[in-house]
Amino acid sequence: QVQLVESGGGLVHPGGSLRLSCAASGMDVSTYTMAWYRQASGNQRELVAVISSGGHTNYPDSVKDRFTISRDNAKNMVSLQMSSLKPEDTAVYYCNVYVGVKLFWGQGTQVTVSS
């Protein structure tokens, strides 16, 4: 079945950079729209990036020009490159995909931005 596994989270100082990866199995990332969400403690889960099968991307203003979503079809992986990180970016980050009528989530990876 479909499985998504996030990795790359960790502790980074404000202004630093971090790349998150989402390894997919059971589906082809080149075929579906993929997205990254984040959820800070006590907050609602928030969309941070989306990439369509055609390569179109969208970002909310909170991360626009700082985050970049991309896919590596050969590795069947979706990445989120984050730069100029702020303490407000601290959250658990999840990748997700709709396959047919089903929504799949990874287990999440923690990103902490702190001095």
Side-chain angles (χ1 to χ4, degrees):
Q1 76 256 35
V2 174
Q3 186 173 5
L4 305 174
V5 180
E6 301 96 335
S7 62
L11 175 65
V12 63
H13 291 170
S17 299
L18 207 59
R19 179 183 289 271
L20 307 182
S21 296
C22 175
S25 60
M27 50 78 65
D28 189 343
V29 303
S30 69
T31 306
Y32 297 94
T33 297
M34 307 289 297
W36 284 93
Y37 285 75
R38 68 186 181 188
Q39 187 167 21
S41 181
N43 290 356
Q44 296 288 322
R45 192 166 295 187
E46 172 191 25
L47 177 70
V48 295
V50 59
I51 183 168
S52 73
S53 61
H56 296 104
T57 60
N58 279 289
Y59 309 89
D61 289 343
S62 59
V63 307
K64 185 180 179 182
D65 299 323
R66 299 189 300 117
F67 290 12
T68 301
I69 187 172
S70 62
R71 56 164 40 101
D72 186 332
N73 294 335
K75 296 180 179 179
N76 205 34
M77 182 175 295
V78 176
S79 296
L80 183 69
Q81 177 64 49
M82 305 181 294
S83 63
S84 301
L85 284 163
K86 306 174 181 179
E88 308 93 270
D89 297 319
T90 296
V92 178
Y93 284 72
Y94 303 86
C95 64
N96 85 323
V97 62
Y98 272 103
V99 179
V101 299
K102 288 192 171 183
L103 176 64
F104 295 90
W105 295 92
Q107 84 290 343
T109 185
Q110 175 71 48
V111 172
T112 302
V113 184
S114 179
S115 297

